[in-house]
């Protein structure tokens, strides 16, 4: 409610600047998904058929725009544990039923400057540290003020202050899975385009003290650098690459005195309509008295370290992920505008003590017809010394106006 009032007040104050013809654009986004999960050690399987609808309107006048968007998630089949309700004898499917305000923001955008205030999506780089959690039905948004500036050639500054994080757990969120976590979160990225790619330095100050009260110590300060770029090796071959390093330590009221490192090296070859990928990602174990590890509580975690979601919270001994994948795409295949298939294999090991956690195979088929995207996805985690064998399967359709 505070965000709605604040955004309305800013809109009213900006009224004279926005005087003139206002263009209205409807916002409609619908999803239906079936998810099936089997997990060793649990008595029952999970079956979830969820429907997600977002609707709203965006109004624009010159450099100014404002939007309001609501969201609702309904479980048509609810034979699953959603993290808040249902039998914990079934695997977790993190799509609880919910309804509420998804976004309410005011934006000013000129050639060099973009200002966004209110409830908004924030997705920085590949969303490894701060993201919108787009795969989950309820998504993640931020009550925030964000400034993006590109006033000098090849330089971009992106800075945001978020005083509340609206989680994927929806209106009934509670305990460690709260609807929203208040705090002083600061995200700053400074990027510079070089001949070999964009070199960025970043700082993420994450205030999760409310979660710490529930037994989690997630407030942290993370500083690092990232290089991302691509290069044509021939007319039909392109190499894309990402290198990253960061160091994280305790911040605010986190009771654990620690520091831990993050490393990333990833390369993708696009060869005509084929692609192959090889990568290494390490979320390190702590150095210091605390038995903890590098954590990313605001990330779009589903995108990383396997779709079985075994490492959304990094184990105390850290995790190293070696992954390799391949894919192929077809444009204008019959009635489809696009069809793509891909497969990725992961090997997970601990950062400390040299344990082999397990392996995972992920498979994906996607197709697009007009405004509709269809997907079938499968994940198979084979445990060695961490968690238990888990298999998941998804069928999904998304439609956007």
């Amino acid at each position: 409610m505070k965000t709605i009032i604040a955004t309305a007040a800013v809109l009213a104050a900006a009224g004279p600047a926005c005087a003139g013809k206002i263009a209205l654009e409807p916002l409609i986004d619908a999803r239906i998904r079936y998810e099936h999960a089997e997990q060793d050690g649990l008595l029952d399987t999970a079956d979830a058929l969820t429907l997600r609808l977002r609707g709203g309107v965006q109004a624009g006048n010159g450099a100014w725009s404002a939007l309001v968007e609501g969201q609702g998630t309904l479980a048509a089949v609810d034979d699953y544990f959603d993290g808040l309700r249902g039998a914990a004898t079934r695997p977790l499917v993190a799509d609880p039923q919910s309804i509420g305000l998804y976004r309410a923001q005011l934006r000013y955008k000129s050639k060099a400057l973009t200002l966004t205030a209110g409830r908004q999506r924030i997705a920085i780089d590949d969303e490894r540290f701060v993201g919108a959690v787009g795969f989950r039905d309820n998504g993640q948004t931020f009550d925030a003020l964000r400034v993006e500036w590109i006033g000098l050639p090849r330089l971009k500054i992106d800075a945001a202050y978020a005083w509340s994080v609206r989680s994927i757990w929806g209106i009934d969120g509670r305990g460690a899975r709260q609807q929203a976590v208040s705090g002083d979160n600061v995200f700053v990225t400074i990027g510079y385009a070089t001949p070999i790619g964009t070199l960025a330095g970043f700082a993420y100050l994450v205030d999760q003290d409310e979660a710490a009260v529930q037994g989690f110590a997630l407030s942290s300060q993370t500083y690092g650098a990232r290089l991302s770029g691509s290069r044509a090796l021939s007319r039909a071959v392109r190499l894309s690459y990402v290198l990253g390093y960061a160091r994280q330590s305790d911040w605010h009221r986190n009771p654990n005195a620690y520091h831990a490192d993050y490393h990333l090296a990833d390369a993708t070859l696009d060869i005509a309509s084929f692609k192959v990928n090889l990568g290494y990602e390490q979320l390190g174990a702590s150095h210091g008295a605390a038995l903890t590890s590098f954590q990313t509580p605001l990330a779009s975690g589903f995108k990383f370290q396997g779709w079985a979601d075994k490492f959304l919270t990094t184990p105390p001994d850290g995790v190293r992920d070696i992954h390799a994948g391949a894919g192929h795409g077809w444009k204008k295949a019959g009635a489809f505008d696009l069809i793509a298939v891909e497969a990725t294999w992961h090997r997970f090991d601990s950062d400390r003590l040299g344990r082999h956690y397990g392996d995972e195979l992920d498979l994906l088929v996607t197709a697009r017809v007009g405004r509709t995207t269809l997907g079938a996805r499968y994940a198979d985690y084979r445990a060695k010394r961490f968690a238990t064998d888990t298999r998941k399967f998804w069928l999904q359709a998304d439609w956007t106006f």
Side-chain angles (χ1 to χ4, degrees):
M1 182 60 69
K2 291 180 180 179
T3 298
I4 300 174
I5 295 172
T7 304
V10 176
L11 278 169
C18 298
K21 186 176 180 180
I22 296 177
L24 298 178
E25 177 185 353
L27 303 172
I28 305 175
D29 177 333
R31 168 186 290 172
I32 181 170
R33 178 164 64 214
Y34 169 71
E35 180 171 345
H36 173 80
E38 304 172 5
Q39 182 174 322
D40 286 6
L42 295 180
L43 295 176
D44 302 307
T45 61
D47 289 283
L49 179 62
T50 59
L51 298 91
R52 198 275 311 282
L53 178 64
R54 290 176 183 158
V57 63
Q58 177 171 284
N61 177 267
W64 293 88
S65 65
L67 69 81
V68 175
E69 185 178 22
Q71 171 180 267
T73 299
L74 173 69
V77 176
D78 61 356
D79 296 329
Y80 65 100
F81 176 53
D82 67 9
L84 305 172
R85 296 175 296 267
T89 57
R90 299 183 185 274
L92 173 67
V93 177
D95 290 324
Q97 295 190 119
S98 182
I99 188 168
L101 178 68
Y102 180 59
R103 290 188 293 167
Q105 68 180 50
L106 173 70
R107 173 170 290 171
Y108 171 82
K109 185 171 184 176
S110 66
K111 185 176 180 180
L113 179 67
T114 301
L115 300 173
T116 309
R119 186 162 301 171
Q120 59 189 280
R121 284 194 294 251
I122 298 180
I124 301 176
D125 292 327
D126 61 355
E127 304 185 66
R128 190 56 180 107
F129 299 99
V130 181
V133 195
F135 183 76
R136 300 272 51 119
D137 284 343
N138 293 320
Q140 175 174 268
T141 56
F142 299 81
D143 293 343
L145 174 64
R146 186 179 188 184
V147 181
E148 299 168 86
W149 184 76
I150 51 172
L152 292 177
R154 300 194 295 273
L155 179 69
K156 179 179 180 179
I157 298 176
D158 185 344
Y161 167 69
W163 57 90
S164 179
V165 180
R166 316 297 296 190
S167 78
I168 66 171
W169 303 111
I171 58 174
D172 295 324
R174 58 185 180 273
R177 296 177 172 131
Q178 299 178 54
Q179 174 188 5
V181 179
S182 299
D184 298 313
N185 301 277
V186 179
F187 317 129
V188 178
T189 301
I190 302 175
Y192 186 78
T194 75
I196 61 173
T198 299
L199 178 63
F202 55 82
Y204 301 121
L205 308 182
V206 176
D207 183 351
Q208 293 276 287
D209 286 342
E210 288 186 27
V213 173
Q214 304 298 330
F216 294 86
L218 296 176
S219 292
S220 65
Q221 51 185 328
T222 302
Y223 305 93
R226 171 188 173 93
L227 174 68
S228 59
S230 65
R231 181 176 297 273
L233 303 182
S234 69
R235 292 185 62 183
V237 180
R238 175 168 289 274
L239 172 66
S240 301
Y241 46 86
V242 183
L243 298 172
Y245 170 78
R247 168 156 285 202
Q248 182 179 96
S249 60
D250 54 285
W251 188 62
H252 218 241
R253 290 186 291 168
N254 190 329
N256 297 321
Y258 78 100
H259 62 271
D261 296 325
Y262 171 86
H263 297 86
L264 171 68
D266 192 274
T268 301
L269 272 177
D270 287 285
I271 308 169
S273 57
F274 292 88
K275 70 174 182 178
V276 292
N277 170 262
L278 180 65
Y280 171 80
E281 185 181 44
Q282 173 190 337
L283 280 73
S286 65
H287 305 277
L291 186 62
T292 186
S293 52
F294 198 107
Q295 302 291 338
T296 59
L298 302 184
S300 291
F302 183 83
K303 296 176 62 176
F304 305 94
Q305 299 184 337
W307 299 331
D309 282 348
K310 293 302 177 182
F311 300 97
L312 293 179
T313 299
T314 308
D317 290 323
V319 59
R320 299 179 180 181
D321 172 20
I322 298 174
H323 52 271
H328 180 61
W330 298 266
K331 294 183 178 180
K332 295 296 182 182
F336 298 99
D337 299 322
L338 174 70
I339 296 178
V341 297
E342 64 179 76
T344 304
W345 169 82
H346 298 263
R347 176 190 169 97
F348 300 110
D349 296 284
S350 65
D351 180 50
R352 181 167 43 205
L353 302 179
R355 291 181 294 147
H356 178 37
Y357 285 150
D359 303 277
E360 181 170 329
L361 176 65
D362 295 329
L363 305 173
L364 175 65
V365 180
T366 57
R368 190 173 68 240
V369 183
R371 298 179 181 273
T372 303
T373 301
L374 307 172
R377 192 184 300 256
Y378 176 75
D380 186 358
Y381 176 76
R382 302 294 179 92
K384 298 298 182 182
R385 300 185 67 182
F386 182 81
T388 58
D389 290 359
T390 300
R391 293 154 298 282
K392 296 185 177 183
F393 174 72
W394 299 264
L395 288 173
Q396 181 172 322
D398 288 275
W399 180 85
T400 303
F401 180 79

